[in-house]
Amino acid sequence: MREVRGTAASRAAGEPGLLRRAGSGTVGIMDVILLSETGEPIGTCPKELVHTTDTALHQAFSCHVVNTDGQVLVTRRSLDKKTWPGVWTNSFCGHPQPGESFEDAISRHAQRELGMKISQLVVALPEYRYRATDASGIVENEICPVFTAVIDGDLSPAPDEVMDFQWVDPLQLGSAITATPWAFSPWLVTQAPDMEIYGLRG
């Protein structure tokens, strides 16, 4: 695993300019980075338009956050979410903006979704990729490097993103994922077996 540090963090593909803004400086439309089958950037698409029944391959990330007691943070997705509403998943996920480093994108999402700061960001699964279809028919189709991090301070989830959360023993979570995979997001179910923290490696 490789720790991500400062400006040495890998930069997400695309042109500079992190967020398009609307009105008087408030955050407006956010873009996701579209990718070719080989992972090369080929364009951008507004986030609210990219997820359909035939979602284009795009760039994302997942982050698994632990505390100083060695527990891992699991969150339950808000019922307002377009895909997998109300489902338990890893700490948080997101999309880097064009020109934005993964480190900056992950820190931004940690603050926006969970009201927290993180440290010790490490790449756990640099080549993770998945495609999954929600019960509604909406597809997730992402090249999605997986990171681990340590919480730095308190936690204050945004209700439009997270309806519940829990700090759990990672080995117990690994056992729960194996026993009841239908209770968790498909990306958590397929990431966990390749992550040492969950004790599922053969």
Side-chain angles (χ1 to χ4, degrees):
M1 294 187 291
R2 177 171 59 86
E3 185 169 359
V4 178
R5 295 180 180 273
T7 56
S10 300
R11 291 211 164 263
E15 295 299 320
L18 302 187
L19 301 175
R20 287 193 280 159
R21 295 182 178 271
S24 57
T26 58
V27 174
I29 296 172
M30 293 194 296
D31 291 332
V32 299
I33 302 163
L34 303 180
L35 303 174
S36 71
E37 283 300 312
T38 57
E40 297 299 318
I42 57 174
T44 62
C45 179
K47 179 184 174 183
E48 71 272 19
L49 299 180
V50 74
H51 296 104
T52 68
T53 56
D54 188 27
T55 300
L57 182 64
H58 58 279
Q59 185 75 72
F61 65 82
S62 286
C63 190
H64 299 240
V65 177
V66 298
N67 62 21
T68 54
D69 293 326
Q71 297 171 310
V72 65
L73 176 66
V74 290
T75 58
R76 190 178 179 196
R77 290 167 63 82
S78 166
L79 294 178
D80 295 329
K81 286 287 194 179
K82 188 174 183 178
T83 57
W84 286 275
V87 171
W88 286 95
T89 190
N90 61 293
S91 307
F92 65 98
C93 298
H95 304 88
Q97 296 295 285
E100 185 180 29
S101 69
F102 280 110
E103 181 186 47
D104 287 346
I106 292 167
S107 294
R108 174 171 58 83
H109 278 269
Q111 184 63 49
R112 163 67 183 89
E113 298 184 17
L114 292 161
M116 69 177 179
K117 295 181 179 180
I118 55 172
S119 62
Q120 301 179 48
L121 187 64
V122 173
V123 182
L125 302 176
E127 298 180 357
Y128 176 76
R129 174 177 175 172
Y130 79 103
R131 188 180 191 278
T133 304
D134 180 67
S136 67
I138 301 298
V139 172
E140 286 281 10
N141 186 19
E142 298 177 336
I143 292 178
C144 183
V146 179
F147 297 79
T148 62
V150 177
I151 189 171
D152 182 8
D154 297 324
L155 181 67
S156 180
D160 61 326
E161 295 286 349
V162 174
M163 64 181 297
D164 199 1
F165 70 91
Q166 189 70 44
W167 290 101
V168 299
D169 180 282
L171 297 181
Q172 292 181 354
L173 179 58
S175 297
I177 291 169
T178 300
T180 57
W182 44 265
F184 301 94
S185 69
W187 54 93
L188 175 56
V189 171
T190 52
Q191 289 169 11
D194 292 324
M195 299 181 69
E196 185 176 356
I197 188 174
Y198 297 113
L200 298 178
R201 289 180 173 176

